[in-house]
Amino acid sequence: MKLFVYHTPEAVPPGTPDCAIVVDILRATTTIATALAAGAEFVQVFASLHDLDQVGNSYPPGYCLRAAERGGKRVEGYDLGNSPLDYTPDRVKGKAILLSTTNGTRALQRVSHAPQVLTAAFVNLAVITELVQQQQPETVWIVGSGWEGNFSLEDTACAGAVVDRLSDRYELGNDEAVAAHALYSQWRHDLEKMFQRASHGQRLLRLNGAADLAYCAKCDLLRVVPCQKEMGVLRAL
Ligand code: MLT
């Protein structure tokens, strides 16, 4: 059984793994886990706001919340942005969340053809890695979202945390998996500090996102497995 890490959606090769795990620590996959743990029915992801709006118009009024982020900011006119702290049970319970973000939704689309697609963040790391340990898919691709095609420290570090928890059963399939593990080992005791060094962490700090960084650094807080059930639609397993 082999684990592969890809730093960005652009680095994902042709082919299909048995299981793909998408990571966008700051903040899409942290937000998806938080929304589903808070009782949202599902999170549907969209690359374009136009597609999001079209699908939103097809739902009965009040059933869905439209969430959109660009450049770390909530897009004006949408119900929610991408701060996980806004996804509280009183806001999202029983709702469909239609979400479009700068990079995370693109990473999900890149592997959406895999038979199993999960999303992981530090907040739900334990439950994701336990599931993989139980199911033992032959090949696992961990895909970071990066930032507009470039490497991002926090996604690769989380990929390294997944590698860390699975490496007793899995062989590391590429150099990126070895590098991700080394990166995680360097920062594992101070993830928040790593986020503060990361370029997107600094962008969020400029947008008053310190509380988001602190939340995204919490490990094993939620027992929720976001799993793609139909193309682009994530539900709690
Ligand atoms: C993304 O998809 O690029 C993000 O999650 C950005 C953010 O909201 O911080």
Side-chain angles (χ1 to χ4, degrees):
M1 296 186 298
K2 279 194 178 174
L3 274 181
F4 297 80
V5 169
Y6 301 102
H7 300 310
T8 62
E10 288 72 14
V12 169
T16 309
D18 298 301
C19 173
I21 303 177
V22 173
V23 175
D24 184 0
I25 293 308
L26 298 175
R27 299 160 292 177
T29 57
T30 305
T31 294
I32 291 168
T34 304
L36 293 175
E41 257 189 51
F42 61 84
V43 179
Q44 187 166 1
V45 298
F46 298 88
S48 91
L49 296 177
H50 175 261
D51 293 350
L52 185 160
D53 289 339
Q54 272 201 329
V55 172
N57 291 338
S58 70
Y59 286 121
Y63 175 57
C64 66
L65 291 169
R66 298 171 198 229
E69 165 276 336
R70 289 293 180 270
K73 297 184 198 150
R74 179 170 68 86
V75 179
E76 224 181 291
Y78 286 77
D79 303 310
L80 291 158
N82 195 24
S83 169
L85 299 176
D86 290 341
Y87 290 71
T88 54
D90 61 317
R91 198 85 205 271
V92 305
K93 194 163 192 240
K95 302 273 187 193
I97 311 291
L98 310 184
L99 174 69
S100 180
T101 70
T102 313
N103 305 287
T105 49
R106 220 179 54 247
L108 273 160
Q109 282 184 336
R110 185 70 190 82
V111 291
S112 58
H113 57 285
Q116 185 170 50
V117 180
L118 310 174
T119 68
F122 285 110
V123 291
N124 65 342
L125 187 61
V127 72
I128 295 290
T129 50
E130 283 163 23
L131 181 82
V132 174
Q133 266 161 348
Q134 273 162 28
Q135 296 185 340
Q136 304 195 13
E138 190 57 38
T139 51
V140 178
W141 290 3
I142 310 163
V143 180
S145 299
W147 186 265
E148 296 181 340
N150 295 312
F151 172 90
S152 74
L153 202 56
E154 67 281 5
D155 291 344
T156 294
C158 185
V162 176
V163 169
D164 187 65
R165 294 193 188 193
L166 296 178
S167 58
D168 52 337
R169 297 244 176 120
Y170 279 83
E171 209 182 307
L172 306 193
N174 61 0
D175 286 0
E176 288 90 329
V178 179
H181 191 222
L183 184 67
Y184 171 66
S185 304
Q186 184 185 342
W187 292 99
R188 62 190 303 158
H189 299 300
D190 204 347
L191 297 172
E192 198 176 337
K193 194 162 168 198
M194 175 189 60
F195 295 169
Q196 290 160 359
R197 283 285 299 278
S199 56
H200 186 47
Q202 290 180 6
R203 183 180 295 107
L204 292 174
L205 287 174
R206 288 193 294 275
L207 297 167
N208 297 322
D212 279 6
L213 264 55
Y215 177 77
C216 294
K218 289 185 196 296
C219 280
D220 306 334
L221 186 69
L222 307 172
R223 301 285 305 171
V224 66
V225 176
C227 178
Q228 179 177 259
K229 292 294 184 178
E230 50 196 276
M231 200 55 90
V233 177
L234 297 148
R235 293 180 188 267
L237 198 65

Coordinates of all heavy atoms in Angstrom, one line a residue, residues 24-31 68-74 81-84 99-107 145-148 154-155 200-201 203-204 207 212, ligand 1:
D24 N -6.9 21.6 2.6 CA -6.8 23.1 2.5 C -6.9 23.7 3.9 O -8.0 24.1 4.3 CB -7.8 23.7 1.6 CG -7.6 25.2 1.3 OD1 -6.7 25.7 2.0 OD2 -8.4 25.8 0.6
I25 N -5.8 23.6 4.7 CA -5.9 23.9 6.1 C -6.4 25.3 6.3 O -7.3 25.6 7.2 CB -4.5 23.8 6.7 CG1 -4.1 22.3 6.7 CG2 -4.4 24.3 8.1 CD1 -5.1 21.4 7.3
L26 N -5.9 26.3 5.6 CA -6.3 27.7 5.8 C -7.1 28.1 4.5 O -6.6 28.6 3.6 CB -5.1 28.6 5.9 CG -4.2 28.4 7.1 CD1 -3.0 29.3 7.1 CD2 -5.0 28.6 8.4
R27 N -8.5 27.8 4.4 CA -9.2 27.3 5.5 C -10.3 26.3 5.0 O -11.1 25.8 5.8 CB -10.0 28.5 6.2 CG -9.0 29.5 6.8 CD -9.7 30.8 7.1 NE -10.0 31.5 5.9 CZ -10.7 32.7 5.8 NH1 -11.0 33.3 6.9 NH2 -10.9 33.2 4.6
A28 N -10.4 26.1 3.7 CA -11.6 25.4 3.2 C -11.9 24.0 3.8 O -13.0 23.7 4.2 CB -11.4 25.2 1.7
T29 N -10.8 23.2 4.0 CA -11.2 21.8 4.5 C -11.4 21.9 6.1 O -12.1 21.1 6.6 CB -10.1 20.8 4.2 OG1 -8.8 21.1 4.6 CG2 -10.1 20.5 2.6
T30 N -10.8 22.9 6.7 CA -11.2 23.1 8.1 C -12.6 23.6 8.2 O -13.4 23.1 9.1 CB -10.3 24.2 8.8 OG1 -8.9 23.8 8.6 CG2 -10.5 24.3 10.3
T31 N -13.0 24.4 7.3 CA -14.4 24.9 7.3 C -15.4 23.8 6.9 O -16.5 23.7 7.6 CB -14.5 26.1 6.3 OG1 -13.7 27.2 6.8 CG2 -15.9 26.6 6.1
A68 N -18.9 32.3 -0.1 CA -17.9 32.5 -1.1 C -16.7 33.3 -0.6 O -16.9 34.3 0.2 CB -18.5 33.2 -2.3
E69 N -15.5 32.9 -0.9 CA -14.3 33.6 -0.5 C -13.4 33.8 -1.7 O -13.3 32.9 -2.6 CB -13.6 32.7 0.5 CG -12.1 33.0 0.8 CD -11.1 32.4 -0.2 OE1 -11.4 31.4 -0.8 OE2 -10.1 33.0 -0.4
R70 N -12.8 35.0 -1.8 CA -11.8 35.2 -2.8 C -10.7 36.1 -2.1 O -11.0 37.1 -1.4 CB -12.3 36.0 -4.0 CG -13.2 35.2 -4.9 CD -12.5 34.0 -5.7 NE -13.4 33.3 -6.5 CZ -14.1 32.2 -6.2 NH1 -14.0 31.7 -4.9 NH2 -14.9 31.5 -7.0
G71 N -9.4 35.6 -2.3 CA -8.3 36.3 -1.7 C -8.4 36.4 -0.2 O -7.8 37.3 0.5
G72 N -9.1 35.4 0.5 CA -9.2 35.4 1.9 C -10.4 36.2 2.5 O -10.7 36.1 3.6
K73 N -11.1 36.9 1.6 CA -12.2 37.7 2.1 C -13.6 37.1 1.6 O -13.6 36.5 0.6 CB -12.2 39.1 1.4 CG -11.0 39.9 1.8 CD -11.1 41.3 1.2 CE -9.7 42.0 1.2 NZ -9.5 42.9 0.1
R74 N -14.6 37.4 2.4 CA -15.9 37.0 2.0 C -16.3 37.8 0.8 O -16.1 39.0 0.8 CB -16.9 37.3 3.2 CG -18.4 36.9 2.8 CD -19.3 36.9 4.0 NE -19.5 38.3 4.5 CZ -20.4 39.1 4.1 NH1 -21.2 38.8 3.1 NH2 -20.5 40.4 4.6
G81 N -18.5 33.7 4.4 CA -17.2 33.6 3.8 C -16.7 32.2 4.1 O -17.4 31.2 4.0
N82 N -15.4 32.2 4.4 CA -14.7 30.9 4.6 C -14.1 30.8 6.0 O -13.2 30.0 6.2 CB -13.6 30.7 3.5 CG -13.2 29.3 3.4 OD1 -13.9 28.3 3.8 ND2 -12.0 29.1 2.9
S83 N -14.6 31.6 6.9 CA -14.1 31.5 8.3 C -14.8 30.3 9.0 O -16.0 30.4 9.1 CB -14.3 32.7 9.1 OG -14.0 32.5 10.4
P84 N -14.1 29.3 9.4 CA -14.8 28.2 10.1 C -15.6 28.6 11.3 O -16.6 28.0 11.7 CB -13.6 27.2 10.5 CG -12.4 28.0 10.4 CD -12.6 29.1 9.4
L99 N -20.5 26.3 -1.5 CA -19.2 27.0 -1.2 C -18.3 27.1 -2.4 O -18.0 26.2 -3.1 CB -18.5 26.1 -0.1 CG -17.1 26.5 0.3 CD1 -17.1 27.9 1.1 CD2 -16.4 25.4 1.2
S100 N -17.7 28.3 -2.6 CA -16.7 28.5 -3.6 C -15.5 29.2 -2.9 O -15.7 30.3 -2.3 CB -17.2 29.3 -4.7 OG -16.2 29.5 -5.7
T101 N -14.3 28.7 -3.1 CA -13.1 29.3 -2.5 C -12.0 29.4 -3.5 O -12.1 28.8 -4.6 CB -12.6 28.5 -1.2 OG1 -12.0 27.3 -1.7 CG2 -13.7 28.3 -0.2
T102 N -11.0 30.1 -3.2 CA -9.9 30.4 -4.2 C -9.2 29.1 -4.7 O -9.0 28.9 -5.9 CB -8.9 31.4 -3.6 OG1 -9.5 32.5 -3.0 CG2 -8.0 31.9 -4.7
N103 N -8.8 28.3 -3.7 CA -8.0 27.1 -4.1 C -8.6 25.8 -3.7 O -8.4 24.8 -4.5 CB -6.6 27.2 -3.5 CG -6.0 28.6 -3.8 OD1 -5.5 28.8 -4.9 ND2 -5.9 29.5 -2.8
G104 N -9.2 25.7 -2.6 CA -9.7 24.4 -2.0 C -10.7 23.7 -3.0 O -10.6 22.5 -3.2
T105 N -11.6 24.5 -3.5 CA -12.6 23.9 -4.4 C -11.9 23.3 -5.7 O -12.3 22.3 -6.2 CB -13.7 24.8 -4.7 OG1 -13.2 26.1 -5.1 CG2 -14.6 25.1 -3.5
R106 N -10.9 24.0 -6.1 CA -10.2 23.5 -7.3 C -9.5 22.2 -7.1 O -9.5 21.3 -7.9 CB -9.2 24.6 -7.8 CG -9.2 24.8 -9.3 CD -8.2 25.8 -9.8 NE -6.9 25.7 -9.3 CZ -6.2 26.6 -8.5 NH1 -6.9 27.6 -8.0 NH2 -5.0 26.4 -8.2
A107 N -8.9 22.1 -5.9 CA -8.2 20.8 -5.5 C -9.2 19.7 -5.5 O -8.9 18.6 -6.0 CB -7.5 21.0 -4.2
S145 N -3.9 22.1 -1.5 CA -4.6 23.1 -2.4 C -3.6 24.1 -2.8 O -3.8 24.7 -3.9 CB -5.8 23.7 -1.6 OG -6.7 22.6 -1.3
G146 N -2.6 24.4 -2.0 CA -1.7 25.5 -2.3 C -2.3 26.8 -2.5 O -3.5 27.0 -2.0
W147 N -1.6 27.7 -3.1 CA -2.2 29.1 -3.3 C -2.0 29.4 -4.8 O -0.9 29.7 -5.2 CB -1.6 30.1 -2.4 CG -2.4 31.4 -2.6 CD1 -2.0 32.5 -3.4 CD2 -3.6 31.8 -2.0 NE1 -3.0 33.5 -3.3 CE2 -4.0 33.1 -2.4 CE3 -4.5 31.2 -1.1 CZ2 -5.1 33.8 -2.1 CZ3 -5.6 31.8 -0.7 CH2 -5.9 33.1 -1.2
E148 N -3.1 29.5 -5.6 CA -3.0 29.8 -7.0 C -1.8 29.1 -7.7 O -1.0 29.7 -8.4 CB -2.9 31.3 -7.1 CG -4.2 32.0 -6.6 CD -4.2 33.5 -6.7 OE1 -3.2 34.1 -6.9 OE2 -5.4 34.0 -6.7
E154 N 1.3 25.2 5.0 CA 0.4 24.5 5.9 C -0.3 23.3 5.3 O -0.6 22.3 6.0 CB -0.7 25.5 6.4 CG -1.6 26.1 5.4 CD -1.1 27.2 4.5 OE1 0.1 27.5 4.6 OE2 -1.8 27.7 3.7
D155 N -0.6 23.3 4.0 CA -1.2 22.1 3.4 C -0.2 21.0 3.4 O -0.6 19.8 3.7 CB -1.7 22.4 2.0 CG -2.8 23.4 2.0 OD1 -3.5 23.6 3.0 OD2 -3.1 24.0 0.9
H200 N -0.1 32.5 3.3 CA -1.5 32.7 3.4 C -1.9 33.0 4.8 O -2.9 33.7 5.1 CB -2.3 31.5 2.8 CG -3.8 31.7 2.8 ND1 -4.3 32.9 2.3 CD2 -4.8 31.0 3.3 CE1 -5.7 32.9 2.4 NE2 -6.0 31.7 3.0
G201 N -1.2 32.4 5.8 CA -1.4 32.8 7.2 C -1.2 34.3 7.4 O -2.1 35.0 8.1
R203 N -1.5 36.6 5.1 CA -2.6 37.3 4.4 C -3.8 37.3 5.4 O -4.5 38.3 5.5 CB -2.9 36.5 3.1 CG -4.0 37.2 2.3 CD -4.3 36.4 1.0 NE -3.2 36.4 0.1 CZ -2.4 35.3 -0.1 NH1 -2.7 34.1 0.5 NH2 -1.4 35.4 -1.0
L204 N -4.1 36.2 6.0 CA -5.3 36.1 6.9 C -5.1 37.0 8.1 O -6.0 37.6 8.6 CB -5.6 34.7 7.3 CG -6.1 33.8 6.2 CD1 -6.3 32.3 6.6 CD2 -7.5 34.3 5.6
L207 N -6.0 40.3 7.5 CA -7.5 40.5 7.4 C -8.2 40.2 8.8 O -9.3 39.7 8.8 CB -8.1 39.5 6.3 CG -7.6 39.8 4.9 CD1 -7.9 38.6 4.0 CD2 -8.2 41.1 4.4
D212 N -9.0 32.6 13.4 CA -9.1 31.5 12.5 C -7.8 30.6 12.5 O -7.8 29.4 12.5 CB -9.2 32.0 11.1 CG -10.7 32.3 10.8 OD1 -11.5 32.3 11.7 OD2 -11.0 32.7 9.6
Ligands
MLT1 C1 -8.9 28.7 -0.5 O1 -9.6 27.8 -0.9 O2 -8.0 29.2 -1.1 C2 -9.0 29.1 0.9 O3 -9.5 28.2 1.8 C3 -8.7 30.5 1.3 C4 -9.3 31.0 2.6 O4 -10.5 31.2 2.7 O5 -8.5 31.3 3.5

